[in-house]
PDB file of all heavy atoms in Angstrom:
ATOM      1  N   LEU A 996      24.120  78.277  99.868  1.00 95.00           N
ATOM      2  CA  LEU A 996      22.808  78.683 100.374  1.00 95.00           C
ATOM      3  C   LEU A 996      22.671  78.403 101.867  1.00 95.00           C
ATOM      4  O   LEU A 996      22.060  79.192 102.599  1.00 95.00           O
ATOM      5  CB  LEU A 996      21.709  77.956  99.595  1.00 95.00           C
ATOM      6  CG  LEU A 996      21.587  78.318  98.115  1.00 95.00           C
ATOM      7  CD1 LEU A 996      20.575  77.414  97.426  1.00 95.00           C
ATOM      8  CD2 LEU A 996      21.207  79.772  97.938  1.00 95.00           C
ATOM      9  N   SER A 997      23.227  77.303 102.333  1.00 93.00           N
ATOM     10  CA  SER A 997      23.167  76.989 103.770  1.00 93.00           C
ATOM     11  C   SER A 997      23.897  78.048 104.589  1.00 93.00           C
ATOM     12  O   SER A 997      23.441  78.427 105.675  1.00 93.00           O
ATOM     13  CB  SER A 997      23.764  75.603 104.019  1.00 93.00           C
ATOM     14  OG  SER A 997      23.045  74.607 103.341  1.00 93.00           O
ATOM     15  N   ALA A 998      25.046  78.515 104.074  1.00 93.00           N
ATOM     16  CA  ALA A 998      25.773  79.570 104.785  1.00 93.00           C
ATOM     17  C   ALA A 998      24.986  80.878 104.787  1.00 93.00           C
ATOM     18  O   ALA A 998      24.957  81.601 105.793  1.00 93.00           O
ATOM     19  CB  ALA A 998      27.142  79.771 104.143  1.00 93.00           C
ATOM     20  N   LEU A 999      24.321  81.203 103.688  1.00 94.00           N
ATOM     21  CA  LEU A 999      23.514  82.428 103.641  1.00 94.00           C
ATOM     22  C   LEU A 999      22.338  82.356 104.610  1.00 94.00           C
ATOM     23  O   LEU A 999      22.015  83.343 105.298  1.00 94.00           O
ATOM     24  CB  LEU A 999      23.011  82.658 102.215  1.00 94.00           C
ATOM     25  CG  LEU A 999      24.068  82.938 101.147  1.00 94.00           C
ATOM     26  CD1 LEU A 999      23.427  83.042  99.779  1.00 94.00           C
ATOM     27  CD2 LEU A 999      24.843  84.205 101.474  1.00 94.00           C
ATOM     28  N   ILE A1000      21.711  81.193 104.680  1.00 92.00           N
ATOM     29  CA  ILE A1000      20.593  81.029 105.619  1.00 92.00           C
ATOM     30  C   ILE A1000      21.093  81.088 107.058  1.00 92.00           C
ATOM     31  O   ILE A1000      20.462  81.686 107.933  1.00 92.00           O
ATOM     32  CB  ILE A1000      19.872  79.703 105.331  1.00 92.00           C
ATOM     33  CG1 ILE A1000      19.201  79.749 103.952  1.00 92.00           C
ATOM     34  CG2 ILE A1000      18.834  79.400 106.405  1.00 92.00           C
ATOM     35  CD1 ILE A1000      18.645  78.424 103.495  1.00 92.00           C
ATOM     36  N   ARG A1001      22.243  80.496 107.306  1.00 90.00           N
ATOM     37  CA  ARG A1001      22.823  80.528 108.656  1.00 90.00           C
ATOM     38  C   ARG A1001      23.139  81.946 109.091  1.00 90.00           C
ATOM     39  O   ARG A1001      22.884  82.327 110.241  1.00 90.00           O
ATOM     40  CB  ARG A1001      24.100  79.682 108.659  1.00 90.00           C
ATOM     41  CG  ARG A1001      24.881  79.702 109.963  1.00 90.00           C
ATOM     42  CD  ARG A1001      26.311  79.275 109.716  1.00 90.00           C
ATOM     43  NE  ARG A1001      27.003  80.213 108.855  1.00 90.00           N
ATOM     44  CZ  ARG A1001      28.188  79.968 108.283  1.00 90.00           C
ATOM     45  NH1 ARG A1001      28.780  78.807 108.460  1.00 90.00           N
ATOM     46  NH2 ARG A1001      28.768  80.889 107.526  1.00 90.00           N
ATOM     47  N   ASP A1002      23.683  82.765 108.180  1.00 91.00           N
ATOM     48  CA  ASP A1002      24.082  84.133 108.508  1.00 91.00           C
ATOM     49  C   ASP A1002      22.961  85.144 108.302  1.00 91.00           C
ATOM     50  O   ASP A1002      23.215  86.350 108.405  1.00 91.00           O
ATOM     51  CB  ASP A1002      25.292  84.525 107.667  1.00 91.00           C
ATOM     52  CG  ASP A1002      26.501  83.658 107.975  1.00 91.00           C
ATOM     53  OD1 ASP A1002      26.541  83.095 109.083  1.00 91.00           O
ATOM     54  OD2 ASP A1002      27.388  83.535 107.108  1.00 91.00           O
ATOM     55  N   ASN A1003      21.752  84.664 107.978  1.00 89.00           N
ATOM     56  CA  ASN A1003      20.590  85.544 107.809  1.00 89.00           C
ATOM     57  C   ASN A1003      20.834  86.590 106.721  1.00 89.00           C
ATOM     58  O   ASN A1003      20.537  87.777 106.879  1.00 89.00           O
ATOM     59  CB  ASN A1003      20.238  86.228 109.140  1.00 89.00           C
ATOM     60  CG  ASN A1003      18.807  86.732 109.155  1.00 89.00           C
ATOM     61  OD1 ASN A1003      17.990  86.344 108.333  1.00 89.00           O
ATOM     62  ND2 ASN A1003      18.503  87.614 110.092  1.00 89.00           N
ATOM     63  N   ILE A1004      21.360  86.123 105.574  1.00 92.00           N
ATOM     64  CA  ILE A1004      21.641  86.989 104.429  1.00 92.00           C
ATOM     65  C   ILE A1004      20.711  86.576 103.299  1.00 92.00           C
ATOM     66  O   ILE A1004      20.828  85.471 102.756  1.00 92.00           O
ATOM     67  CB  ILE A1004      23.109  86.874 103.989  1.00 92.00           C
ATOM     68  CG1 ILE A1004      24.047  87.269 105.126  1.00 92.00           C
ATOM     69  CG2 ILE A1004      23.375  87.724 102.763  1.00 92.00           C
ATOM     70  CD1 ILE A1004      25.511  87.032 104.831  1.00 92.00           C
ATOM     71  N   LEU A1005      19.771  87.457 102.944  1.00 92.00           N
ATOM     72  CA  LEU A1005      18.785  87.157 101.903  1.00 92.00           C
ATOM     73  C   LEU A1005      18.175  85.772 102.126  1.00 92.00           C
ATOM     74  O   LEU A1005      18.181  84.909 101.248  1.00 92.00           O
ATOM     75  CB  LEU A1005      19.431  87.246 100.512  1.00 92.00           C
ATOM     76  CG  LEU A1005      19.991  88.616 100.104  1.00 92.00           C
ATOM     77  CD1 LEU A1005      20.604  88.536  98.717  1.00 92.00           C
ATOM     78  CD2 LEU A1005      18.919  89.682 100.155  1.00 92.00           C
ATOM     79  N   ARG A1006      17.659  85.590 103.322  1.00 91.00           N
ATOM     80  CA  ARG A1006      17.206  84.250 103.719  1.00 91.00           C
ATOM     81  C   ARG A1006      16.017  83.775 102.889  1.00 91.00           C
ATOM     82  O   ARG A1006      15.962  82.604 102.494  1.00 91.00           O
ATOM     83  CB  ARG A1006      16.848  84.266 105.204  1.00 91.00           C
ATOM     84  CG  ARG A1006      16.284  82.968 105.712  1.00 91.00           C
ATOM     85  CD  ARG A1006      16.165  82.953 107.211  1.00 91.00           C
ATOM     86  NE  ARG A1006      17.461  82.812 107.838  1.00 91.00           N
ATOM     87  CZ  ARG A1006      17.616  82.574 109.147  1.00 91.00           C
ATOM     88  NH1 ARG A1006      16.558  82.485 109.926  1.00 91.00           N
ATOM     89  NH2 ARG A1006      18.807  82.438 109.668  1.00 91.00           N
TER      90      ARG A1006
END
Side-chain angles (χ1 to χ4, degrees):
L996 294 173
S997 299
L999 295 176
I1000 294 171
R1001 175 200 64 192
D1002 297 337
N1003 200 16
I1004 300 173
L1005 298 179
R1006 176 170 286 190

